[in-house]
Amino acid sequence: MIRASGPMPVSAFMDVCLHDPQDGYYARRPGLGRDFITAPETSQVFGELIGLWAAHEWQALGSPPRFNLVELGPGRGTLMGDGLRAAQKVPGFHAALKLHFVEASPLLRTHLSDTMSAFNPVFADQLTHIDNGPTLILANEFLDCLPVRQFARTGGHWHERVVGLDAAGALSFGLAADAAPSPVAGEDVSTLEIQPGLDVLVDTLKLRLERDGRFRALFIDYGPAETAPGDTLRAYQNGEQVHPLAAPGLSDLTADVDFLRLKKLAEAAGLHVHGPQPQGDFLMRLGAQERLDRLIKSHPDKAKSLYDGVARLVDPAQMGHRFNVLCISSPDLPAPAGL
């Protein structure tokens, strides 16, 4: 594509490398547990608490007899499996839910069809395809995979970062020759990332509010709570960080989430926002310590591994502050649990 049409924006490069139906990462190499480890894979406590959170918020929706439970980017379904197991004791919750997965990988869709068959999951390509009606949306490490546009200020002008070819024909970063409109106000920023998908997400949630009424969406991801990301594009392969251009289609591409911008977009659309709040604080408020204590009491031989898993989730020096939690809701709901 670059040879035929010239350098492409970083966002287009990410999109092709992740989503090409034949050679993209999600088609060929969904790497959960190999290229990267997510919070649900770190400790069962994570999914259990999120499942109980969802059951509590279903009650906040008025315990509707039928509602959509949606997970964006479920991967192997570890979060949902742990969550539904924990929430089965909440009367009426399982009977009321209609399970939806928005998953890009055909391989993972097949896996989820088998492992979650008891709930007859429905698969969708995007959130707009989800049924009407009351809806709870869960998204753990989903937003970080939305393609980013990168900009750099040089010579007093902004230029978009692009991926082209160097003299030897290898992939190389550069800047577009034409100046771009200023992507940000202020003079103290020299690099900036913008995820256009955040605008689309908020538009989709606003449409759901206008069409269906009540919904609540929980987003958990890494990224700063009060500043805009600069240059955070990264790639991971076999558990190691590699250069973003080193293995297109064979490495996971990811970037920090701009929680501040997402919050402003949602509030401007008339939606209610709680957070962002550090993941560690959120999980502790939901009862992470109490759940860990019960698990250790039941499985004393696994005490260290259980403790280490939860510690990684909540410790500020690990995932506890690196990850943030943000909840977007229709305006008529009470504050969500934990936020």
Side-chain angles (χ1 to χ4, degrees):
M1 292 173 67
I2 292 172
R3 287 193 182 99
S5 304
M8 62 173 60
V10 169
S11 56
F13 176 79
M14 283 188 70
D15 190 53
V16 170
C17 290
L18 292 176
H19 297 291
D20 183 85
Q22 290 186 332
D23 296 311
Y25 180 76
Y26 291 120
R28 300 175 62 188
R29 188 181 169 86
L32 282 164
R34 180 181 60 233
D35 295 332
F36 53 89
I37 303 292
T38 63
E41 310 283 338
T42 300
S43 170
Q44 69 183 73
V45 171
F46 184 86
E48 290 171 347
L49 293 178
I50 298 303
L52 292 172
W53 181 91
H56 179 274
E57 301 315 314
W58 167 67
Q59 294 172 334
L61 288 171
S63 302
R66 198 66 172 162
F67 78 104
N68 301 313
L69 180 60
V70 183
E71 186 174 3
L72 307 181
R76 295 190 299 199
T78 304
L79 184 156
M80 188 60 71
D82 289 339
L84 291 177
R85 184 186 68 252
Q88 65 184 342
K89 296 182 180 179
V90 178
F93 181 71
H94 274 201
L97 69 87
K98 184 174 183 180
L99 185 59
H100 296 260
F101 289 128
V102 178
E103 175 54 58
S105 169
L107 296 175
L108 290 175
R109 284 191 178 199
T110 299
H111 175 79
L112 290 164
S113 294
D114 294 336
T115 58
M116 305 299 293
S117 60
F119 295 93
N120 298 312
V122 176
F123 293 92
D125 292 328
Q126 49 189 305
L127 189 54
T128 53
H129 297 165
I130 302 301
D131 296 343
N132 293 348
T135 300
L136 291 176
I137 301 166
L138 306 176
N140 178 64
E141 291 196 47
F142 173 79
L143 298 178
D144 61 271
C145 293
L146 297 179
V148 296
R149 296 181 67 185
Q150 293 187 323
F151 297 88
R153 196 199 319 253
T154 178
H157 299 284
W158 285 98
H159 294 264
E160 185 160 9
R161 197 179 190 196
V162 296
V163 179
L165 301 175
D166 63 17
L171 293 172
S172 177
F173 285 118
L175 296 177
D178 295 335
S182 175
V184 63
E187 298 297 325
D188 58 343
V189 176
S190 59
T191 60
L192 187 72
E193 285 178 341
I194 294 177
Q195 290 178 299
L198 296 183
D199 301 77
V200 177
L201 172 66
V202 170
D203 288 344
T204 301
L205 294 176
K206 183 180 179 181
L207 178 63
R208 179 159 290 275
L209 171 65
E210 295 170 348
R211 188 179 64 190
D212 304 324
R214 295 187 152 194
F215 79 88
R216 176 154 275 168
L218 185 72
F219 300 97
I220 306 174
D221 230 307
Y222 43 84
E226 298 178 352
T227 59
D231 177 4
T232 69
L233 178 65
R234 301 179 297 284
Y236 293 92
Q237 186 179 37
N238 297 324
E240 301 289 337
Q241 186 171 345
V242 300
H243 193 279
L245 304 182
L250 296 175
S251 60
D252 178 46
L253 293 175
T254 181
D256 282 7
V257 176
D258 189 345
F259 281 100
L260 181 60
R261 181 167 179 265
L262 176 57
K263 179 177 183 176
K264 290 180 177 179
L265 287 171
E267 290 176 339
L271 305 174
H272 279 197
V273 181
H274 293 84
Q277 176 178 290
Q279 173 181 285
D281 295 350
F282 176 71
L283 294 177
M284 291 299 286
R285 289 181 180 180
L286 293 185
Q289 183 66 59
E290 292 78 6
R291 178 55 181 154
L292 173 62
D293 292 343
R294 288 196 295 270
L295 284 172
I296 290 177
K297 185 176 181 179
S298 301
H299 306 280
D301 57 317
K302 300 180 179 178
K304 186 178 186 308
S305 63
L306 289 167
Y307 175 84
D308 288 347
V310 173
R312 186 180 179 194
L313 296 177
V314 303
D315 188 341
Q318 299 190 63
M319 298 172 71
H321 277 187
R322 177 77 175 90
F323 282 67
N324 277 293
V325 182
L326 183 140
C327 187
I328 301 177
S329 310
S330 52
D332 59 340
L333 296 176
L339 289 168

